[in-house]
Amino acid sequence: TKAHNKEELEKALEIAFKEDRKVVLEETLVGREIECAVMGNSEPVASCVGEILPTAEFYDYEAKYQSDSKLTIPAPISETKSNQIREFAKKAFTKIGLKGMSRIDFFVHKMTGDIYLNEINTIPGFTDKSMYPMLMASSGIEGTKLVDKLIELAIEEFSGEVL
């Protein structure tokens, strides 16, 4: 739920506490939502970055799967900003010990251009609307090549052999 004032916040908290006894509050960050696919084990590689242009104010389930939200790949941002995001994505992937694949999502603040880590998706989607395979395809690894590479990474991780 996104709240714009105190009354909406109180209603949002009421809804949230019906679902759980703990809730998370986050300050709204006005900016662009940029995503990066990462693949690898000890030496991860990052895809080009993509941008989500939601049809709604809040990119929720409905905006993602039941509307005409747009995905722009590559994201229309500077090469410098794109490279910063890609490096941050690889660093986040490595720092928390991920293996195989992940999609790392960021916000780029509208006014300052500062980059904020939004979330790390450890099992990103693989549907026809999913950013991970689209980002990797745009970076030259698509379809069966992508699946083959992910299988090789899993075998490498569990067997200790580089294929």
Side-chain angles (χ1 to χ4, degrees), residues 86-147:
R86 294 173 71 236
E87 287 304 313
F88 288 158
K90 290 191 298 186
K91 190 173 189 175
F93 186 92
T94 302
K95 289 285 184 186
I96 65 169
L98 294 176
K99 305 290 182 185
M101 68 175 184
S102 182
R103 195 190 72 242
I104 318 276
D105 302 347
F106 298 88
F107 286 120
V108 177
H109 194 278
K110 182 178 181 178
M111 302 303 287
T112 66
D114 291 340
I115 300 167
Y116 293 87
L117 176 66
N118 176 29
E119 69 176 319
I120 298 173
N121 295 276
T122 57
I123 305 178
F126 250 76
T127 71
D128 61 341
K129 292 186 176 193
S130 296
M131 278 289 254
Y132 187 89
M134 288 191 282
L135 287 167
M136 293 309 272
S138 187
S139 298
I141 307 170
E142 58 186 307
T144 57
K145 288 181 185 177
L146 175 59
V147 174

Side-chain angles (χ1 to χ4, degrees), residues 42-90:
S42 60
E43 296 181 25
V45 295
S47 70
C48 66
V49 298
E51 181 173 12
I52 295 173
L53 302 167
T55 54
E57 180 183 16
F58 191 55
Y59 193 57
D60 58 7
Y61 181 88
E62 188 174 309
K64 185 173 186 177
Y65 294 108
Q66 300 172 343
S67 74
D68 293 326
S69 292
K70 303 287 184 232
L71 307 175
T72 304
I73 303 170
I77 60 174
S78 73
E79 185 176 345
T80 299
K81 190 68 68 181
S82 176
N83 287 337
Q84 285 179 309
I85 291 168
R86 294 173 71 236
E87 287 304 313
F88 288 158
K90 290 191 298 186

